[in-house]
Amino acid sequence: MAAVALVQGASRGLGLQFCQHLLSHRAPVAVIATCRDPDGAPALSALAAGNPSRVTVLQLDVTREEQIQRAAERVRSAFSGVDLLINCSAVLHPSGKGETSLRDVSAEGVTSTLATNTVGPLLMAKYFAPLLQKGTGQFGRQPAEKTKQHNGILVNMTARVGSIGDNALGGWYSYRMSKAALNMATRNLSIELGRSRPKIVCVSLHPGTVDTDLSRPYHKNVPQHKLFSTQYSVQRLMEIIDSLSMDKSGKAYAWDGSEIPW
């Protein structure tokens, strides 16, 4: 039975690259790609057109719960389960720039960032966890004994700046808070879904500083050797996903496999 991977936020950047990587390196995996506006995602549309039997594109605005629920119902009717769910959608701030000081903070900016970066992935887990429990466990590492430890894997894309213990610079209130809260959601999910039958591995992954629209305003401050292509970042992240098992659930990992403190 072919594995099923769902990438939430697949129109560009890391999400689109995850889809491309899965298609190229994980035949015959079926890819479900979601984004807010499929008609306005030409690269994703071209990818789907070139792989009509393996790619399903669904409209899903992660800030709208009814769309998440509707997408889950469509996936349930078309597939027996989901093996891997990757939540990729993220915003730095509605303005496109992180707050440099307290005077830049607004209620609208904080709540909007939290809605996309934190609440959305949590609601994805709410509606797609039953499908992950029906997965076949084809991603990650299973124990040597015959009984599977997990059926599905849930990945939340985090950022090192969301680590409270690692924060020495301050700033970026909305983005830091949203990723710190996402990490707490990941931890909570790992406990609840780790008790379920079947079990689900839940982790937060940090892709490094990647050449995407989100980080582009800050590229001039990043050393060239620390600015990653989407291809390199996704390759390293998939290596981590391939190594996951229940004992690694509930943690945050950087692109190089190192654990990030909460």
Side-chain angles (χ1 to χ4, degrees):
M1 182 180 296
V4 178
L6 189 152
V7 181
Q8 181 269 116
S11 62
R12 58 183 180 175
L14 285 172
L16 181 63
Q17 185 59 44
F18 268 116
C19 294
Q20 293 172 330
H21 181 95
L22 288 163
L23 291 169
S24 299
H25 300 282
R26 295 303 177 95
V29 66
V31 175
I32 305 166
T34 79
C35 65
R36 183 173 54 186
D37 179 20
D39 292 336
L44 179 58
S45 296
L47 188 67
N51 300 272
S53 64
R54 295 181 61 194
V55 179
T56 301
V57 178
L58 297 178
Q59 181 182 21
L60 191 161
D61 183 338
V62 79
T63 66
R64 297 182 62 180
E65 184 171 359
E66 71 277 8
Q67 288 194 13
I68 298 174
Q69 183 177 15
R70 188 160 57 246
E73 291 169 352
R74 290 187 61 183
V75 173
R76 185 179 296 110
S77 66
F79 299 89
S80 58
V82 172
D83 298 284
L84 173 65
L85 166 59
I86 307 175
N87 284 308
C88 286
S89 286
V91 294
L92 182 61
H93 186 271
S95 68
K97 294 183 178 180
E99 305 98 330
T100 56
S101 69
L102 190 58
R103 64 176 175 270
D104 300 322
V105 173
S106 68
E108 180 183 3
V110 173
T111 55
S112 177
T113 305
L114 284 167
T116 297
N117 295 0
T118 309
V119 180
L122 182 58
L123 291 174
M124 288 291 294
K126 174 183 176 180
Y127 289 103
F128 282 94
L131 289 166
L132 286 165
Q133 289 174 331
K134 294 180 180 179
T136 57
Q138 295 188 54
F139 288 93
R141 183 169 295 170
Q142 298 287 359
E145 56 268 23
K146 294 181 180 179
T147 303
K148 292 198 302 289
Q149 284 193 351
H150 71 270
N151 277 32
I153 294 175
L154 187 154
V155 173
N156 289 325
M157 298 305 299
T158 189
R160 186 176 290 277
V161 297
S163 168
I164 295 173
D166 193 60
N167 183 4
L169 297 176
W172 288 22
Y173 281 90
S174 297
Y175 191 68
R176 284 186 185 272
M177 290 168 60
S178 72
K179 292 300 187 179
L182 178 64
N183 289 343
M184 177 60 81
T186 301
R187 181 65 173 176
N188 258 25
L189 288 167
S190 73
I191 294 170
E192 179 173 354
L193 300 178
R195 294 171 178 158
S196 67
R197 295 291 186 272
K199 296 180 180 181
I200 300 171
V201 177
C202 305
V203 295
S204 292
L205 295 184
H206 165 53
T209 303
V210 186
D211 187 7
T212 62
D213 292 341
L214 186 148
S215 65
R216 197 152 288 131
Y218 301 93
H219 285 181
K220 64 180 180 181
N221 300 320
V222 180
Q224 191 62 38
H225 70 283
K226 290 188 177 182
L227 180 61
F228 301 151
S229 67
T230 56
Q231 292 89 340
Y232 179 79
S233 179
V234 166
Q235 174 64 44
R236 299 303 303 269
L237 293 173
M238 284 303 306
E239 291 172 2
I240 296 173
I241 290 171
D242 286 337
S243 73
L244 292 176
S245 54
M246 285 307 306
D247 63 315
K248 294 187 176 181
S249 190
K251 300 177 181 180
Y253 298 97
W255 59 273
D256 60 359
S258 62
E259 188 173 344
I260 300 175
W262 293 127

